[in-house]
Amino acid sequence: MPHISLGFLLFTALSAAVFYAVPKRRRWIVLLVFSIAYYLAAGPALILFLLFVAATTFFGALLAEQKKKGAVPAVLVLNFGLLAILKYTNFFISNLNRIPGVSIAEMRLLLPLGISFYMFQATGYLLDVHWERTRAEHGFFRYLLFVSFFPQILQGPIGRFGRLSETLYAGADFDPDNLRRAALRIAYGYFKKIVIADNAAVWVNYIFDPSRNTGSRMGIAGVLLYGVQLYMDFSGGIDIAAGIAHLFGVRLDENFRQPYFATSITDFWHRWHITLGTWMKDYLFYPLSLSGRIGRFGKWCRKHLPKQAGRALPIALCNIIVFLAVGVWHGAAWHFILYGLYSGVIIGISGLLAPQYRKWKSALHIDDKSRSWHLFQIFRTFVLISISWFLDRSDTVRQALILLKNSFAGPFFSLGLPFDGNVLKAAVRFGTVLFGCALVFGVSLKKEQGVPVMERLLAKPAALRIALLLFFLLSYGLFGDNTAFGGFMYANF
Amino acid sequence: MRTSEFSEAASRSGGKQLSGGKRLLIAALILLLLFACATRLLSFLLVPPQYTRVKVHVLENDPPEDLILGTSHGIAAIDPDRLAASTGRTTYNAAAGGEYPIDIYYLAKDTVSSGAPRRLIVEYDPTYWLYTGGMNNTELYLIRVMRPSLTKAEYFLSSCLASDFRNALEPWYLNLSGLRSIPENVRRKQSDAYRNYSMALFEDPLQTVMENGFIAIDDSAQNGRDSETHVLISEDGAASKAYETSRRWFLRTVDLCRKNGIGLVVVETPIPSSTLAGDRAFFEDMNARMRKMAEENGFVFLDYVTGQNAVPDGTDIVCGTDGDGAPRDDGGFSDAEGHMRVSAARRFSDVFGKALSRLP
Amino acid sequence: MDDLLAILSDIAPDVDFEHETGLVDDGILDSFAILSLVGELEDTYDIRITPKELIPVNFNSAEAIFALVERLRNA
């Protein structure tokens, strides 16, 4: 049931209606039933994976609570092993096939809907129980709801049991404000997706088409538009998920915090796909950094290397490993791996050179509290991130490098968008993307300045909200792209 | 003290102030009403009238004995009057561009509720069965112009539930390139021809939509559409899936005919010989499958393209071979894809009509 | 405690460790800084910090860090 289908809208409306019709204590059961139904609609066989992940982590957590050794590693191996097989088998095969003489057939493996998200959420829970950060859930069906909750199963956010369970099982009382929040957030999310992302995608798909040799500076336009498309598509989808959760009084963790206002790559990853970043930090980065082997390496570094290098090197190494994981999480391809490493290496270097940066800044008399420095940092980060989009969006490393090279080598006047001759259509599409970005920028700026935009909207007269919602509703038809039937980009993870 | 207590109590009991829930409900209703009006208005302004509206009206009010459904090939190739001359039955051509198996099924079902025809003639274009896209203008329009009924509800749910919500809620979104034609749309929708369901509304210098549903493409018309070659469905997963979906809908039409005692004839109208030459494997494969379906389900299949016919034993029909009288030279078509020009279409309809009259 | 403050100031010179109580929650120390700190603490006080102890409440202020160190030393 694609999010953009009529069926999904009706499904969601029905789930809300049934939710509030049922007594408070049973409301979580309604959520579970609808979540399972949603998943079954995607393909009956796929639910076996969901149940496998839920069951193994559920029992693993119970065993971990009783301090049974070996339970946690076993469950982790089972789950991540499964994910690795499903996601990466063909990657390994295709690389092996590059060895002359080797020819293995690639397997037909399906990737169960949302597995990259719910598996991370489930294993995070297991580790939280293991490290005594949260109690184990003793009710299997209550736990199953945590794993399968339908608004977030498609593309996250990746939740934490401690926080999510506060509102997931509460069976919220009917609060009109929740419904208002839901409507506004959902409409805003669809606006970002249908009006902005889908329109930008038309050009992005053209520019990055592997059958086309884009030998001009179009690559620059391509990554800028891709940066727009990716953000609008993904954050729009998250808005829809969070909005739907609002219908039931459930709070999901934020996944985006005005990422393009970031002042460094590190800061960017604290603002972009936040829950993946925090998952990696809490369940991979810290444990890895604190592990015996790295600990010993760290001791060696601190003993034998100059102070900053000694401190920073082991951390930088772990960080690179983590970003390798982030890259790999995105997909089984070399360009994704490089995409992750790119950020990892930049962060690692800046960690190693932190005192140097401080010295250069004071030598150049740069006041790092000044507004102009802040703007420079934003601009610098934006450029660095845009370069990384070459690696994310291209189909191969080769294509990424060619596009990147052409962006700086091609004739200057070729910086532009592909054009099929229809001036009006191109102008309208461009204007739409621009206007959409301006609107979202305005909202983001306010949020960056700490203004609680949603709460302010709720305090305004109803007529304003009605007008806003009407605008959004009509914008889907008037300004949305009507040439393709697109799903969400992160739905294939 | 007393006054403020009183007003506090008044607001609590909902005296002058409505409760939060009620206020939300009213706001939601206002929003829905405004949206409904806006979308209705935009439909009126942006969506041009289509001939399918007239055809649905005919089917619902004056169903023929022989009903023709099918694609844009069928609408251009089959002149009902020429068929009627041989068969002696009232005949109507309700084919349309963009009419897919699902649409054919629901149009047939809609007709049955007004009065089942004696015979259903389905024009078969195999390339239509490979379509993997979403809803199109024709389908959206058909659903809207159908009169309210269970069939319409079923049609709506079958096609709109799984597709983009704009199809159901904002169908005008596919008609945005016609902004300049808004005054034209309004004028046409207020004209007598529109109110009287007359095909005169659809004047075009190069083709005439006849009142019997046939579109007479002028002999000089040149659409310039190239032919394509198609993959065999056994070699393409997406095409194979699309084929299965189309087949399911088609078989429902077969079922409908069986349950209502309607004779079923599937006909594949000729295509330019140069087009066939470039795509022969595909047509041979698809038509073989259709013949098998015809034999298994007991309906007639007349294949004017590759001659793989399924007719009752003992029937003497020459069809699909040189000498059957059907036009195949490129000059008989307005494009490489296979839309027949009027002279060739009338010749073909004579041939087809005679074949029909030979069926039991 | 003074040793600890010295270590902290070395890792993040611009922070007022005597008064800050939201070192993690307010994002004043990022993960690099925290891990640098952990490395130094493990070396200096000969303790072992595991993921279980790596929670915000243990690192939000100099006092909290000191308490953690003491606890691990005496364990």
Side-chain angles (χ1 to χ4, degrees), chain C residues 6-66:
Chain C
I7 295 174
L8 287 167
S9 304
D10 192 40
I11 289 176
D14 305 319
V15 181
D16 178 6
F17 287 104
E18 297 202 13
H19 298 110
E20 273 298 346
T21 54
L23 293 170
V24 174
D25 288 340
D26 294 341
I28 297 170
L29 290 179
D30 68 4
S31 38
F32 253 77
I34 301 243
L35 287 171
S36 304
L37 177 63
V38 165
E40 293 290 327
L41 292 176
E42 289 188 336
D43 275 351
T44 310
Y45 299 104
D46 198 27
I47 51 176
R48 185 79 201 287
I49 296 179
T50 64
K52 225 176 104 173
E53 280 100 31
L54 208 58
I55 42 177
V57 72
N58 283 344
F59 285 85
N60 259 335
S61 66
E63 280 82 23
I65 298 170
F66 187 67

Side-chain angles (χ1 to χ4, degrees), chain A residues 125-347:
Chain A
Y125 159 78
L126 177 65
L127 289 168
D128 277 343
V129 171
H130 178 55
W131 290 325
E132 297 172 25
R133 292 186 191 163
T134 188
R135 57 165 184 91
E137 172 57 60
H138 286 246
F140 176 70
F141 289 106
R142 282 170 68 101
Y143 177 66
L144 185 60
L145 172 58
F146 170 71
V147 178
S148 66
F149 189 42
F150 80 87
Q152 61 170 41
I153 197 141
L154 197 63
Q155 44 183 345
I158 302 171
R160 303 293 175 95
F161 187 76
R163 273 196 296 278
L164 192 51
S165 59
E166 283 168 19
T167 50
L168 188 61
Y169 305 112
D173 293 322
F174 180 80
D175 176 6
D177 270 350
N178 269 343
L179 265 61
R180 290 191 181 100
R181 282 190 192 96
L184 288 165
R185 192 126 190 223
I186 294 172
Y188 186 53
Y190 276 116
F191 176 78
K192 283 176 169 174
K193 157 76 174 156
I194 300 175
V195 176
I196 310 178
D198 285 353
N199 272 313
V202 172
W203 286 310
V204 173
N205 291 339
Y206 182 94
I207 292 171
F208 281 90
D209 186 341
S211 67
R212 210 185 308 274
N213 187 11
T214 315
S216 71
R217 288 178 179 241
M218 257 188 225
I220 298 182
V223 287
L224 289 177
L225 282 167
Y226 179 66
V228 167
Q229 178 201 354
L230 186 59
Y231 173 65
M232 296 299 173
D233 188 292
F234 198 3
S235 72
I238 295 295
D239 283 329
I240 294 172
I244 295 176
H246 266 312
L247 284 176
F248 314 115
V250 175
R251 304 216 57 196
L252 299 180
D253 286 340
E254 285 305 324
N255 225 11
F256 289 93
R257 192 166 51 87
Q258 300 83 255
Y260 290 123
F261 286 86
T263 50
S264 67
I265 298 282
T266 304
D267 191 28
F268 179 79
W269 284 98
H270 291 162
R271 291 164 176 265
W272 175 280
H273 205 171
I274 297 172
T275 57
L276 180 67
T278 53
W279 193 99
M280 288 289 177
K281 182 184 74 171
D282 288 334
Y283 303 110
L284 183 59
F285 185 46
Y286 280 155
L288 184 66
S289 304
L290 298 175
S291 69
R293 206 158 297 169
I294 300 287
R296 283 192 290 279
F297 176 62
K299 277 201 169 57
W300 183 94
C301 287
R302 283 192 290 278
K303 215 155 141 205
H304 294 101
L305 297 173
K307 189 164 70 165
Q308 183 59 24
R311 249 186 224 153
L313 189 61
I315 304 172
L317 178 68
C318 290
N319 187 64
I320 287 178
I321 294 174
V322 166
F323 270 93
L324 185 65
V326 168
V328 161
W329 180 93
H330 278 82
W334 286 110
H335 69 96
F336 282 127
I337 292 174
L338 280 182
Y339 165 68
L341 281 176
Y342 175 83
S343 284
V345 166
I346 291 181
I347 295 177

Side-chain angles (χ1 to χ4, degrees), chain A residues 2 4-7 9-10 174 176 179-180 190 194 424 466 469-470 473-474 476-478 480-482 485, chain B residues 20-21 23-24 27 30-31 34-35 38 42 156 160-166 168 170 172-174 176 180:
Chain A
I4 209 169
S5 69
L6 180 67
L9 295 184
L10 294 175
F174 180 80
L179 265 61
R180 290 191 181 100
Y190 276 116
I194 300 175
L424 189 62
I466 291 177
L469 284 171
L470 190 63
L473 285 172
L474 292 174
Y476 308 143
L478 287 171
D481 173 54
N482 58 12
F485 179 48
Chain B
R23 280 213 319 258
L24 180 67
I30 293 178
L31 176 65
L34 286 173
F35 177 72
L42 284 164
F156 174 79
C160 288
L161 269 189
S163 70
D164 193 317
F165 65 73
R166 290 176 290 175
E170 300 175 346
W172 40 265
Y173 85 116
L174 293 174
L176 288 173
R180 238 165 294 157

Side-chain angles (χ1 to χ4, degrees), chain B residues 19-81:
Chain B
S19 75
K22 285 213 185 75
R23 280 213 319 258
L24 180 67
L25 186 63
I26 292 177
L29 287 173
I30 293 178
L31 176 65
L32 271 147
L33 194 64
L34 286 173
F35 177 72
C37 291
T39 204
R40 190 78 191 80
L41 178 67
L42 284 164
S43 282
F44 178 71
L45 293 174
L46 291 170
V47 181
Q50 295 182 29
Y51 57 73
T52 40
R53 176 175 169 272
V54 177
K55 296 197 175 182
V56 170
H57 179 84
V58 169
L59 296 187
E60 290 174 351
N61 293 283
D62 193 14
E65 290 172 301
D66 274 7
L67 171 62
I68 304 162
L69 291 174
T71 73
S72 52
H73 288 193
I75 205 179
I78 308 176
D79 184 344
D81 290 348

Side-chain angles (χ1 to χ4, degrees), chain B residues 302-334:
Chain B
L302 293 175
D303 174 6
Y304 282 94
V305 176
T306 60
Q308 301 183 69
N309 308 310
V311 293
D313 291 329
T315 321
D316 178 28
I317 293 176
V318 180
C319 165
T321 54
D322 292 331
D324 61 2
R328 287 190 180 82
D329 61 289
D330 294 359
F333 297 85
S334 64

Side-chain angles (χ1 to χ4, degrees), chain B residues 169-323:
Chain B
L169 303 175
E170 300 175 346
W172 40 265
Y173 85 116
L174 293 174
N175 298 98
L176 288 173
S177 45
L179 273 177
R180 238 165 294 157
S181 55
I182 289 180
E184 175 79 6
N185 288 339
V186 174
R187 187 188 60 78
R188 287 169 84 192
K189 286 183 187 175
Q190 293 176 323
S191 67
D192 285 329
Y194 183 81
R195 264 193 288 269
N196 297 330
Y197 296 93
S198 164
M199 291 296 194
L201 192 64
F202 308 101
E203 279 172 0
D204 184 294
L206 287 174
Q207 64 185 35
T208 317
V209 186
M210 315 294 278
E211 293 297 338
N212 59 21
F214 169 58
I215 289 189
I217 297 179
D218 202 81
D219 282 336
S220 63
Q222 184 61 257
N223 281 335
R225 233 196 310 241
D226 287 326
S227 62
E228 298 168 18
T229 49
H230 300 88
V231 284
L232 294 183
I233 57 177
S234 51
E235 292 168 8
D236 184 315
S240 172
K241 265 180 96 178
Y243 174 78
E244 275 313 308
T245 308
S246 306
R247 201 176 90 100
R248 263 202 315 250
W249 284 110
F250 172 71
L251 286 175
R252 289 179 77 169
T253 306
V254 173
D255 250 351
L256 182 77
C257 290
R258 198 188 350 253
K259 283 203 186 82
N260 291 279
I262 305 170
L264 177 60
V265 175
V266 175
V267 63
E268 187 170 344
T269 58
I271 58 175
S273 39
S274 51
T275 305
L276 178 61
D279 209 9
R280 185 168 270 278
F282 170 75
F283 280 99
E284 300 266 3
D285 179 48
M286 294 297 271
N287 294 346
R289 293 168 193 268
M290 179 54 81
R291 167 153 86 172
K292 186 152 170 280
M293 258 191 282
E295 283 163 1
E296 284 168 3
N297 289 279
F299 60 83
V300 173
F301 177 40
L302 293 175
D303 174 6
Y304 282 94
V305 176
T306 60
Q308 301 183 69
N309 308 310
V311 293
D313 291 329
T315 321
D316 178 28
I317 293 176
V318 180
C319 165
T321 54
D322 292 331

